[in-house]
Structures are given as structure tokens and as C-alpha cells.
Amino acid sequence: MFNQNIDDRLSSWAGHRAQLNNSTSPFEDVWEFWRHAPYIPYNNKIDPYHQASWPSPWEIIVDNKYDDFTKAVMIAWTLKLTDKFNKSVIEVKTYIDNAKSKQYNIVCVDDRYAINYSDNGPVNIENIPDLFLLENLIELGTLR
């Protein structure tokens, strides 16, 4: 999807969201879709601490630049904008692992599932170590 022109990227994303409604493994499917997003180290258009300043998910797709936080935001919006998950509590949580000086941007669904924690795909939220410190929490609501 990510090497397509803008219109085709937007259509691919819409088609993926429609497929998630009938998927028996939606978390694995959304992870597989987004794990191939083109990575840039820092996306200065997305400030994790000021949600009101974020571009819409459609604008993010048009821009086609994803750091780890932007990828987590897009995983979250992909789920939230489906019939299957539009009533779910979907949060993007930024955790800090002080022991490894590492940051994780994790999508949490209904406080049960975690996506974007590791390269192994979705996990049960209980797999997130208790030693991690929660630095930021954004709950997705409705689009502005």
C-alpha cells in the first residue's frame, strides 16, 4: 500500500478497515498491515502530547511518513474507524523502559490487548511488564 499513489493508498486503507469488520484475527491483520509502513525516525507533524494538533488519519496517509508513534496512532484509528471497534476503548499509551532506555508506543484495546509492543505482533496486555512507566495516554474519541 505504502508505495501507491495517494488515492490508491486511501482506497487501500478504506478496504482494509472494511475487511477488519469480518476478520477473525483483526489485531493480527491490522498489525500486519501497518508493520510495513515506511519508517522515519521522527515525524514532526505529530506531537504525542497535543492530540488537538494532530492531522486527521487521512492527512497522515497522504503524508505517508510514520515514526513509531504515528504508526501506533494509525493502528488505533484503523481499528476505531471500523464498525467492529467503534465502541471499543482504544488508547495509545507511551511506556518507558528505564532499564533499557527504550520507549514503546502501544495501542491498547479495551484494556485487554496490546498492539505495537514488539515486532511479534499483538499480545495480551498482561504481557506488558509492570516495570514500564506510563508516560503518556491518549484515548481516541471521535474525529474533530
Side-chain angles (χ1 to χ4, degrees), residues 79-88 90:
L79 292 170
K80 191 69 172 176
L81 293 173
T82 65
D83 293 337
K84 191 172 203 162
F85 294 104
N86 67 356
K87 301 232 187 299
S88 291
I90 299 180

Side-chain angles (χ1 to χ4, degrees), residues 16-30:
H16 177 63
R17 293 191 325 268
Q19 289 174 340
L20 290 176
N21 283 318
N22 299 316
S23 174
T24 58
S25 55
F27 303 133
E28 289 81 7
D29 293 346
V30 75

Side-chain angles (χ1 to χ4, degrees), residues 37-118:
Y39 177 78
I40 62 164
Y42 176 70
N43 185 350
N44 61 9
K45 293 186 178 184
I46 305 286
D47 181 344
Y49 303 97
H50 301 285
Q51 184 180 9
S53 70
W54 294 356
S56 73
W58 294 272
E59 293 167 317
I60 294 170
I61 297 248
V62 167
D63 194 40
N64 206 31
K65 294 177 183 161
Y66 308 91
D67 60 8
D68 191 61
F69 183 78
T70 308
K71 183 171 75 170
V73 166
M74 289 307 297
I75 290 169
W77 275 122
T78 299
L79 292 170
K80 191 69 172 176
L81 293 173
T82 65
D83 293 337
K84 191 172 203 162
F85 294 104
N86 67 356
K87 301 232 187 299
S88 291
V89 175
I90 299 180
E91 301 166 318
V92 178
K93 296 181 180 181
T94 302
Y95 285 100
I96 303 296
D97 178 356
N98 283 329
K100 295 182 182 177
S101 298
K102 187 164 173 137
Q103 176 177 306
Y104 298 93
N105 295 294
I106 301 172
V107 178
C108 299
V109 181
D110 294 327
D111 213 24
R112 294 179 57 204
Y113 304 101
I115 307 167
N116 203 41
Y117 165 53
S118 68

